[in-house]
Structure formats: C-alpha cells, structure tokens
Amino acid sequence: MGKDCITGIQGTSNAKIEIEYDPDSKIAWFQGIKSNEGVVFVFNSTGQLVLSKNIQAGIALHLSFLNSGFYLIQLRAQEQFLVKKIIVK
C-alpha cells in the first residue's frame, strides 16, 4: 500500500490491487485487476459520488473533469477493496 492509501483490505486473491495517481496529468492507473472485474468510484470531499466505472488493469482513467479539491478513489476488485485520497489542483 502506498503512503497515500487510507485503507486497504486484502481478500482471498493473491494478486494485490493498486491505485496510482499522477497529479500533474490528473490520470489514475489501476494494477492487479483481472479482466473486467474492477469497479472504481470517485467521491468528492462532501461524499458525493462523482464517477462510477468498470475498469481493467493498466487502463488510464482521466480525471481532468474534476474541479480542484480533495477526492477519494475507491477500487473494488477480486474481493479486495482499496481507497486512495487524491488532491486535484
């Protein structure tokens, strides 16, 4: 888990899921997902869901549509759950 990870719970799968975010390009990547099993949710600082999308490993998710502020990216895949906080400038 990265230093920006708030919480992560490993399920029964041996593959570790990961979220990487580049604040300069406003792009997030997801690793360790098999097939189309991953679902990503993005919440704003008030807890409002701003994006829900099925995702595959290695696919870039462009977040340039987000206004400046604090967000949580939640990833669910292979019985695992991971949340990462990001700041969009």
Side-chain angles (χ1 to χ4, degrees), residues 17-89:
I17 60 172
E18 296 180 33
I19 301 171
E20 296 295 328
Y21 175 70
D22 179 2
D24 294 327
S25 64
K26 298 182 182 177
I27 295 176
W29 292 270
F30 307 90
Q31 301 299 326
I33 301 169
K34 297 178 184 175
S35 305
N36 290 327
E37 294 181 20
V39 180
V40 66
F41 303 95
V42 179
F43 297 92
N44 66 16
S45 59
T46 63
Q48 180 182 11
L49 179 66
V50 294
L51 177 70
S52 174
K53 185 172 184 166
N54 291 333
I55 199 84
Q56 297 177 5
I59 298 297
L61 180 62
H62 296 268
L63 299 174
S64 57
F65 69 93
L66 296 175
N67 294 325
S68 297
F70 166 80
Y71 293 87
L72 293 176
I73 299 176
Q74 184 183 93
L75 175 61
R76 295 181 186 182
Q78 289 111 234
E79 300 178 12
Q80 297 179 60
F81 176 85
L82 182 66
V83 177
K84 182 174 183 120
K85 65 179 178 178
I86 64 167
I87 296 176
V88 175
K89 298 178 183 178

